[in-house]
Amino acid sequence: MIFLRQLDVVLLLLALPIFLAADQPPLGWAATTIAWIGQKALQAALERKAANSEDPKHFFRFMAGSLIGRSWLLALTIFAVGIVDRDAGLAAAVLALVVFTCYLAISLIMRAPQNHSERPL
């Protein structure tokens, strides 16, 4: 289970040799990797803080703020890299899209209902 939850990070690590073999700018890989790991650390910290909150409003504020803030962190990183080097920005955006798709799929699979047989008709 831990491997599945961290598959997005494994995918980032596997992308480095692909970037180098395809002669893509390493700046795109580095920026996406740093931003992705940073946003995951921010997510973990805010989820812990939200879990400790007894007020449901605070919980949802932390979670909504986490989602918005992490998205902006990744988007602004890609944008900044694109300003410095357009090819690196494109490579960073494509890598972020692939990693996010993996993260979303794994998140949906991990949160899927475990017992489908008890569903009402």
Side-chain angles (χ1 to χ4, degrees):
M1 288 297 191
I2 291 174
F3 176 76
L4 280 179
R5 289 180 195 221
Q6 299 303 324
L7 189 59
D8 52 342
V9 176
V10 172
L11 188 60
L12 282 170
L13 296 175
L14 292 174
L16 179 58
I18 295 169
F19 258 66
L20 297 176
D23 199 30
Q24 292 298 311
L27 176 62
W29 176 85
T32 299
T33 301
I34 291 168
W36 188 264
I37 292 172
Q39 69 89 20
K40 281 192 69 126
L42 182 62
Q43 176 186 14
L46 290 174
E47 281 180 355
R48 275 192 304 273
K49 192 161 183 133
N52 292 334
S53 175
E54 294 179 12
D55 184 7
K57 288 182 183 179
H58 284 115
F59 174 81
F60 287 109
R61 283 185 193 141
F62 277 118
M63 297 312 291
S66 168
L67 178 64
I68 293 167
R70 293 181 302 115
S71 300
W72 274 98
L73 172 67
L74 191 58
L76 290 175
T77 301
I78 293 168
F79 183 69
V81 170
I83 289 174
V84 172
D85 180 353
R86 290 181 65 106
D87 291 338
L90 177 61
V94 170
L95 179 59
L97 179 64
V98 169
V99 172
F100 174 76
T101 302
C102 172
Y103 169 78
L104 181 62
I106 295 300
S107 295
L108 292 174
I109 290 168
M110 298 294 285
R111 287 181 173 85
Q114 298 299 320
N115 192 352
H116 299 288
S117 62
E118 294 181 17
R119 258 192 221 167
L121 295 176

